[in-house]
Amino acid sequence: MTLQVRGIVLPEREERTFWTDGDRLRTEPVPGAQLVVDGGWLLPGLVDVHTHPGTEALDTPFTDETLRRHLTEHRDAGVLAVRTPGSAARIPAWVDEDPELPRVRSAGRWLATPGRFFPGFGRDVSEADLVRAAVEEAEASSGWCKVIADWRHDEPPLPADVLAAVVEAVHAVGGRVAAHCQTADGSRNAVLAGVDSLEHGMHLDPGLIDRMAAQGTAFVPTLSAFAAGVDRRRAEEPSARRDWWLSGWESLLPTVTAAYEAGVTVLAGTDSFPCGTVTSEIHWLIRAGLPARAALGAASWGARSWLGLPGLVDGGPADLVVYDADPIADPSVLAHPRRIVLRGRVVV
Ligand SMILES: [Zn+2]
């Protein structure tokens, strides 16, 4: 069925009318359309660029059923595109063909070298085999791979030269590299290696921010995931690990703002369950100091563009979410999408 949609498009704040033509948007009338949206504010869907659908816990298997449930939770919250930076199993091909599910850009399995990550949860690989494995994961998924670039605060991160070789080889096949970093040394090595996205970035040295901006390393700080653990950490017995974590959290918010102000692409990722909570990451990005428009863009049009998905334009994907009020002026409306259109079909 062809749909007609009229409303104020963000981020341009312009009133536009679209018609759907299959899973594409058109700005010229398509005959026989049914008017399904007449007024309201239109976003090209929300985006969560750091989510791990399919498995919720280390001791539960990755299943198609869990994957579908998680992706449906995202969709019902208006999240119409996700990136999965690492999974316990590669995202199966049927996901792309299911019109009910968000668009997924995946990075294959987490790439974990010895001592880094939960043993057996990702793809365990030696440092010597990492380049080959990274190219394999990128080629077998949506072009991304995900490297665990550090782990414990008191153990060395993946060496910068090993990570640089990964970046060079993955870029050579047209892929991109996401790096998990939560230590100062790991974050430094990832930036020096030229990764495409720094995930978490706890303890990131602000002195590296200009280099990130210049080379196009995006920053996905997953603030809401850390925020959920602050009270628990504070209640722990004092230890080097606790102090390391809390000092990392305290410096993260100002570092995110400094990165944004320096021109780094800051993006919204939740890294947590339940799925469909990217609005809490928007809230935290605003709390960190991003303007509301930038925080929303980090979880919508900006993230889609970064993933290669056009926004609300002629020929773009027919994905949109409708709100009763302007979500830049009042982000709380994001909790109540009035209508969700995905791939040219009304899903909510
Ligand atoms: Zn993660």
Side-chain angles (χ1 to χ4, degrees):
M1 182 179 49
T2 296
L3 311 177
Q4 184 184 356
V5 172
R6 183 159 50 221
I8 298 166
V9 170
L10 293 174
E12 296 86 353
R13 279 204 172 101
E14 280 175 19
E15 181 158 314
R16 287 186 200 153
T17 302
F18 295 105
W19 289 261
T20 62
D21 179 8
D23 71 346
R24 298 283 122 185
L25 290 174
R26 299 291 169 210
T27 51
E28 294 294 318
V30 177
Q34 182 184 349
L35 182 66
V36 292
V37 175
D38 190 6
W41 276 258
L42 312 183
L43 277 187
L46 297 173
V47 184
D48 188 338
V49 303
H50 192 129
T51 180
H52 303 292
T55 330
E56 243 168 85
L58 292 171
D59 55 356
T60 56
F62 182 102
T63 67
D64 284 3
E65 189 189 357
T66 309
L67 178 61
R68 179 182 296 282
R69 176 167 57 82
H70 287 157
L71 290 173
T72 303
E73 287 167 358
H74 275 304
R75 184 205 67 191
D76 290 348
V79 175
L80 304 186
V82 301
R83 183 191 59 151
T84 66
S87 303
R90 290 179 188 150
I91 303 294
W94 60 260
V95 170
D96 272 345
E97 277 135 40
D98 189 327
E100 298 283 318
L101 298 179
R103 298 174 196 269
V104 178
R105 297 289 180 267
S106 64
R109 296 163 73 194
W110 287 285
L111 292 160
T113 47
R116 304 183 187 107
F117 210 43
F118 310 104
F121 199 51
R123 175 174 174 179
D124 293 323
V125 60
S126 70
E127 288 183 16
D129 284 339
L130 182 61
V131 169
R132 186 178 55 79
V135 169
E136 264 178 28
E137 292 303 322
E139 290 190 318
S141 55
S142 309
W144 281 93
C145 69
K146 169 73 176 292
V147 178
I148 307 298
D150 62 13
W151 196 240
R152 289 180 55 94
H153 71 287
D154 52 359
E155 286 181 6
L158 192 66
D161 60 336
V162 175
L163 196 46
V166 168
V167 171
E168 187 181 359
V170 172
H171 283 182
V173 297
R176 293 202 275 179
V177 179
H180 164 107
C181 300
Q182 57 193 17
T183 68
D185 288 349
S187 295
R188 184 197 63 229
N189 286 359
V191 175
L192 296 183
V195 301
D196 298 282
S197 70
L198 183 70
E199 311 296 319
H200 315 303
M202 231 189 196
H203 298 279
L204 169 67
D205 175 358
L208 293 164
I209 282 172
D210 285 343
R211 181 163 177 159
M212 290 173 70
Q215 69 191 16
T217 297
F219 188 11
V220 185
T222 63
L223 297 173
S224 48
F226 288 126
V230 173
D231 287 347
R232 180 172 50 84
R233 294 285 181 177
R234 288 212 173 107
E236 283 175 7
E237 291 292 314
S239 69
R241 186 166 191 280
R242 172 183 177 275
D243 294 349
W244 160 78
W245 196 96
L246 287 172
S247 70
W249 164 248
E250 276 151 27
S251 62
L252 190 53
L253 269 62
T255 302
V256 168
T257 309
Y260 165 73
E261 288 172 352
V264 173
T265 299
V266 174
L267 296 168
T270 59
D271 198 20
S272 48
F273 295 99
C275 290
T277 58
V278 78
T279 53
S280 70
E281 188 67 15
I282 295 169
H283 164 80
W284 275 101
L285 290 171
I286 293 170
R287 239 177 114 164
L290 265 65
R293 178 190 169 94
L296 184 55
S300 183
W301 57 86
R304 280 184 78 101
S305 163
W306 186 70
L307 292 173
L309 290 165
L312 296 172
V313 294
D314 189 68
D319 300 350
L320 56 91
V321 182
V322 186
Y323 301 95
D324 287 331
D326 179 356
I328 296 176
D330 178 9
S332 73
V333 304
L334 294 167
H336 307 287
R338 188 211 302 165
R339 178 136 279 176
I340 298 173
V341 174
L342 176 60
R343 301 174 205 251
R345 304 164 76 230
V346 173
V347 292
V348 172

